[in-house]
Amino acid sequence: MARRKAPEARLFRLHGELGGEPRVFVLGPGENRVGADPANPIHLPVRQVSRRHAVLRVQGDSVQVEDLGSTNGTFVNGVRVRSARLGEHDWVQFGPVLLTFEELEAGEHELAITLDDRPRTPPPANRREERTTEVGIRPQGAVPWGEVLAACAERLISRWHPDLEDAVARLAAATGASAVAVLSRAASDEVVVHAACGDLAPLALDHLSAELAALWPGEGGSGGVRCAELAGPVTLSAAVAGGPEGWEAALVLAGRGIRPAEHPFLELALRLFRSATVPVPENGRAAAAPTERDLVFPEWHVVGSSPVMTALYRQLATLRRGNIPVLVTGETGVGKEHVVRILHASSDRAAGPLQIVNCTAIPADLLEAELFGIEAGVATGVSRRRGKLRLAHGGFLFLDEIGDMDPALQAKLLRALQEGEVHPLGASSPVTVDVRVVAATNTDLEQRVRDGRFRRDLFYRIAGCEVAVPPLRRRREDIPALAAFFLERAARDSGKRVRGLSLSALQALQAAAWPGNVRQLQRELTRLVAACPAGGTIESALISPALLAETSPEEPVPAGGLELKLQLAALERRLVVRALDATGGNRSEAARLLGITRNGLAMKMKRLGIEAPPNGG
């Protein structure tokens, strides 16, 4: 004989206001005493409430309230009682305190995301949004590392002639080193000098390879960069890049000690020089394929763990080097600019600028000057402007929503990208620029080419490689991490205490369609923090009904006019599919979300033609 499953314990609560602040009291099994005495589980510190005012007894699915001889009485729905059974949405009054009784789903009480409930300090009112990617460069001591590295990057990351000698000379002058050399190790273990300045004799190149090998012996370890001082007749500071076979490249400074606080800048300098030199093969073997571990993520970026995001990161890792243009595609709100910032911060142009141009936010007659620049005196009151293409020299130019660019301007942009030079308005001669172009669009750019609204030659120029950012509905596994990040930030910015997000609320968020993608998720969570009572839990009832009712683009409403039966079947199908998706195909959990039995879900799936998910519960 099969054993019957014990029914799940039911949870109940009272909620209302106390002293002008929202309060929630969850009732535990057995007796829950009410009164002004702090020892009571339901503590109501109000003068008109007796120390031992009443008790609520929870037994199974029944809740009974009993007055304990209080002075001002206990009321249920406005009627004074000695004892009464409470029903859903009854209001209970203890003296002047009015609370509403309701049954609570276990998923609403159980937290999926817990927030730190310490007092939060709102940020300064003058906080601004950064529009360029920083790489963490700040002046250290007497060396203006930010300026030095930016100057080196401008000379090293060139499509035509990386000026190694000039960059090395600038580094030596800025650091006060008597000699600087950029080295690599050949297959024969000989030291190859790619660029140098100053007196190389103190470097003792004949013996330097052994010193570098001692600093990076290999021994099967993973690649990276290390900084240290080397033994020699003078002070030698070195940044050494290596891999499993030992050291591979080095930047060595003579006569200048580099303090540990400066090591990150010396490391970045080596990476810049190494990107501009021809890599020496490791015993004829090809280097390992780039992975997402090679990427640099901004501090505020939530790294997705879903399969589609892992594949995206791997693709970005293969595009870190070189100047191939990239076209980033995806729906509105998926985070295309985030992808561009990751690519820039991870690239060999990370020390260079990232300039952003929104092609839809700037009127067409002003966009030309914004891109190419303008000279002073072209028109009355016009001052000189360098233009984004010149400002992006040595770095990235990000053209957001390029599909909306005016056709006449498309031709000028094409010429600038082909020739590597810009002609500012009113200038007598062009200016050479070196930029890597990344464009983005949420439209079908190839269709615009076919329709004659976008130049075919410009499309081929900017679409060297396409990076498609997946919509949020295809990466639902990432929603918990994104929700935790946005909730924490919203709570911190508002200075509000929030207990967290309930399990049912998170399941509802994971089941939503999210046509506005990550941007819509951020906006909704910010609204939820504002709507949540201070110290309370964000429950599914607070989620915008319009959000839960939105139709996924992958499940369009069927044609058929206003035929109710057809439309209801379509809605029913969407809800069932959404519930199965949210629970990973677990039909028992999906049935619970839908409020039906497992057998009822099975019949609906059969009637609606929904296939059973693999490995579903």
Side-chain angles (χ1 to χ4, degrees):
M1 180 177 178
R3 295 178 59 185
R4 295 182 61 184
K5 184 179 178 180
E8 295 184 2
R10 303 177 70 175
L11 299 176
F12 305 92
R13 69 178 175 188
L14 298 171
H15 67 88
E17 287 191 359
L18 187 62
E21 293 292 332
R23 291 296 302 273
V24 175
F25 301 99
V26 177
L27 306 181
E31 292 192 349
N32 297 263
R33 292 188 179 274
V34 182
D37 190 330
N40 291 304
I42 303 176
H43 178 215
L44 304 179
V46 180
R47 288 183 58 187
Q48 295 91 335
V49 174
S50 301
R51 290 178 58 82
R52 296 175 68 255
H53 195 105
V55 62
L56 292 109
R57 295 186 175 89
V58 179
Q59 296 179 333
D61 60 356
S62 173
V63 178
Q64 196 86 8
V65 60
E66 179 184 340
D67 186 78
L68 297 179
S70 64
T71 303
N72 295 302
T74 299
F75 297 79
V76 175
N77 298 328
V79 179
R80 186 164 183 166
V81 298
R82 284 294 304 272
S83 179
R85 181 172 177 173
L86 298 181
E88 182 76 1
H89 303 307
D90 282 349
W91 52 271
V92 188
Q93 185 175 347
F94 307 103
V97 181
L98 188 64
L99 302 172
T100 301
F101 171 82
E102 64 183 10
E103 184 174 349
L104 180 66
E105 291 184 12
E108 297 291 10
H109 180 66
E110 182 181 350
L111 288 181
I113 297 174
T114 304
L115 296 184
D116 181 6
D117 64 354
R118 291 175 296 179
R120 305 174 190 276
T121 303
N126 61 350
R127 191 180 79 172
R128 63 186 178 86
E129 181 182 0
E130 295 295 334
R131 298 303 297 170
T132 57
T133 297
E134 297 288 345
V135 293
I137 300 174
R138 294 291 184 271
Q140 293 282 341
V143 180
W145 283 106
E147 299 174 12
V148 174
L149 293 176
C152 289
E154 185 176 351
R155 287 153 181 79
L156 293 174
I157 309 172
S158 170
R159 284 178 290 184
W160 302 289
H161 310 294
D163 196 341
L164 290 168
E165 300 297 335
D166 187 26
V168 166
R170 287 178 176 273
L171 182 60
T175 59
S178 59
V180 176
V182 179
L183 314 171
S184 67
R185 180 172 65 94
S188 60
D189 284 341
E190 295 181 356
V191 177
V192 179
V193 180
H194 291 279
C197 74
D199 183 9
L200 299 186
L203 296 180
L205 295 178
D206 292 340
H207 305 286
L208 190 58
S209 181
E211 293 289 337
L212 296 174
L215 180 59
W216 197 295
E219 300 176 352
S222 59
V225 177
R226 297 174 185 169
C227 299
E229 288 194 6
L230 305 177
V234 298
T235 301
L236 296 177
S237 298
V240 183
E245 303 297 328
W247 80 279
E248 301 166 0
L251 173 63
V252 183
L253 288 73
R256 169 60 157 88
I258 301 298
R259 296 180 289 113
E262 298 175 282
H263 285 176
F265 308 109
L266 191 63
E267 174 184 336
L268 184 53
L270 172 59
R271 293 185 185 278
L272 287 173
F273 280 107
R274 196 181 185 195
S275 69
T277 59
V278 178
V280 178
E282 301 177 15
N283 300 324
R285 288 180 294 180
T291 69
E292 63 269 28
R293 294 182 179 179
D294 298 312
L295 297 179
V296 177
F297 295 96
E299 182 180 355
W300 35 261
H301 177 76
V302 179
V303 180
S305 58
S306 60
V308 291
M309 289 304 293
T310 300
L312 173 66
Y313 295 146
R314 288 175 179 166
Q315 183 183 13
L316 291 178
T318 66
L319 298 174
R320 295 175 304 135
R321 309 280 182 196
N323 294 298
I324 183 171
V326 177
L327 178 63
V328 183
T329 61
E331 299 174 6
T332 298
V334 294
K336 295 187 289 294
E337 184 176 325
H338 276 228
V339 169
V340 175
R341 291 181 182 276
I342 294 170
L343 182 59
H344 171 258
S346 308
S347 74
D348 46 15
R349 293 174 175 251
L354 168 63
Q355 293 293 325
I356 300 174
V357 179
N358 190 322
C359 299
T360 60
I362 305 173
D365 55 343
L366 300 179
L367 186 57
E368 181 175 359
E370 182 73 10
L371 276 173
F372 303 110
I374 189 170
E375 296 298 317
V378 172
T380 304
V382 173
S383 57
R384 184 174 181 267
R385 177 183 294 180
R386 293 185 64 190
K388 293 292 188 179
L389 272 161
R390 294 176 67 185
L391 292 173
H393 183 72
F396 275 49
L397 176 67
F398 174 36
L399 300 172
D400 197 11
E401 301 304 342
I402 193 172
D404 297 321
M405 181 177 287
D406 182 80
L409 196 55
Q410 293 177 25
K412 296 181 179 180
L413 175 62
L414 175 64
R415 179 176 178 82
L417 298 181
Q418 287 177 333
E419 303 297 331
E421 59 185 27
V422 297
H423 202 131
L425 295 174
S428 58
S429 59
V431 180
T432 300
V433 294
D434 169 32
V435 298
R436 184 176 183 183
V437 174
V438 180
T441 181
N442 63 1
T443 62
D444 187 344
L445 211 53
E446 292 188 67
Q447 183 60 49
R448 293 200 171 207
V449 170
R450 291 190 290 269
D451 295 341
R453 292 183 291 168
F454 197 84
R455 293 180 64 100
R456 185 178 300 275
D457 44 8
L458 178 59
F459 172 76
Y460 291 134
R461 170 65 60 174
I462 64 173
C465 181
E466 181 179 346
V467 174
V469 185
L472 188 57
R473 63 183 175 275
R474 288 187 54 208
R475 44 179 298 213
R476 298 183 189 274
E477 307 96 316
D478 297 332
I479 289 179
L482 289 166
F485 176 79
F486 292 140
L487 284 174
E488 176 68 30
R489 188 162 71 176
R492 183 181 64 246
D493 290 352
S494 64
K496 175 182 283 190
R497 290 187 177 189
V498 177
R499 181 169 171 258
L501 183 76
S502 75
L503 179 60
S504 293
L506 178 60
Q507 290 172 337
L509 292 177
Q510 287 187 287
W514 300 115
N517 294 292
V518 179
R519 186 180 301 150
Q520 184 185 15
L521 175 64
Q522 179 181 2
R523 186 173 64 245
E524 176 67 13
L525 289 166
T526 301
R527 188 194 67 80
L528 287 172
V529 169
C532 180
T537 299
I538 297 175
E539 301 173 358
S540 57
L542 291 175
I543 297 176
S544 170
L547 172 66
L548 300 179
E550 282 174 331
T551 301
S552 169
E554 296 173 350
E555 291 283 348
V557 175
L562 297 177
E563 185 180 341
L564 186 59
K565 184 177 180 180
L566 183 62
Q567 300 295 344
L568 288 177
L571 175 60
E572 192 175 19
R573 176 184 173 80
R574 286 197 300 275
L575 292 175
V576 171
V577 170
R578 216 175 276 176
L580 290 168
D581 188 30
T583 59
N586 188 310
R587 279 174 281 180
S588 297
E589 288 297 314
R592 188 182 64 80
L593 281 180
L594 294 168
I596 58 179
T597 65
R598 193 177 188 277
N599 288 337
L601 174 61
M603 289 188 291
K604 285 183 181 294
M605 292 173 61
K606 182 177 181 180
R607 175 169 56 84
L608 297 170
I610 300 174
E611 294 183 2
N615 302 321

